[in-house]
Amino acid sequence: MQLKSLIRMAWLLFFSYTLLMIYLLFFGFSRGARTERLYNLTPFKTIWSYVADIQYYNLDIWVINLFGNVAAFVPFGFLIPCLFRSYAKWYKVTNLLFWALLLVETIQLIFKVGSFDVDDIMLNVIGGLIGYYMYALTVGRKRQGLECRNHS
C-alpha cells in the first residue's frame, strides 16, 4: 500500500474514532443530564473501589470502567504521533492527552453528563501511553531509520 493511502486511512481512522469517542464520552452509556454534579478528585479512589469491592459489581461494569478506560485511548496514543510529527515523543503525547482529558472531564462535570473522575484521566492516559509504545515499536522505529539515513 502506498504511503499516501496509509496516511489517508490514518486520518480517516483518527477523525472517525474521535467522533465515536465524543459520542461515548458525552452521549453514550445512557448519559442523560443529571441533577447533581458527580466528581472524584482523589487519585485511585474509584480504581480501588472497583478492585476492593469487586463482588458488588457486575463483571461488565468492572471491565468497562477499568479496562475500557485504558483501551479506549490506545488508538489516540498510536495515531497522534503518526499524524502529528510534533507529537513524536511520549511526553508530548502524554501532555496533550492529559490536558484534553482534563477538558473532557470538566465538560462532563459542568454539563452534568458523566462525572469528573481523576481516575478516568489516569486510566485514559495509561491507554494513550500503551498506544504510544505500540507506535514507538512499529512506525516510530521505521521513521527513525528513515531520518537517520536522510542525515547521513
Side-chain angles (χ1 to χ4, degrees), residues 110-122:
I110 290 169
F111 292 101
K112 300 178 190 173
V113 290
S115 62
F116 183 104
D117 194 336
V118 70
D119 288 354
D120 286 351
I121 295 172
M122 293 184 330

Side-chain angles (χ1 to χ4, degrees), residues 140-150:
R141 284 191 177 182
K142 290 179 183 174
R143 273 191 182 168
Q144 266 186 336
L146 288 173
E147 289 170 4
C148 289
R149 281 188 286 237
N150 288 340

Side-chain angles (χ1 to χ4, degrees), residues 34-119:
R34 301 173 186 250
T35 54
E36 72 281 351
R37 288 187 170 85
L38 302 175
Y39 60 91
N40 166 41
L41 302 176
T42 307
F44 301 104
K45 181 180 179 183
T46 304
I47 294 169
W48 181 248
S49 169
Y50 283 120
V51 172
D53 299 326
I54 189 171
Q55 69 273 16
Y56 300 113
Y57 295 102
N58 291 334
L59 183 62
D60 59 334
I61 300 280
W62 196 83
V63 169
I64 287 170
N65 279 286
L66 292 180
F67 297 106
N69 270 318
V70 172
F73 282 82
V74 170
F76 286 122
F78 186 87
L79 290 169
I80 289 169
C82 280
L83 296 171
F84 304 97
R85 284 191 180 247
S86 60
Y87 288 95
K89 302 285 185 196
W90 70 269
Y91 56 89
K92 290 186 176 188
V93 172
T94 302
N95 191 39
L96 175 67
L97 286 173
F98 171 78
W99 289 107
L101 291 162
L102 183 63
L103 177 65
V104 165
E105 294 290 321
T106 302
I107 291 170
Q108 287 181 337
L109 179 69
I110 290 169
F111 292 101
K112 300 178 190 173
V113 290
S115 62
F116 183 104
D117 194 336
V118 70
D119 288 354

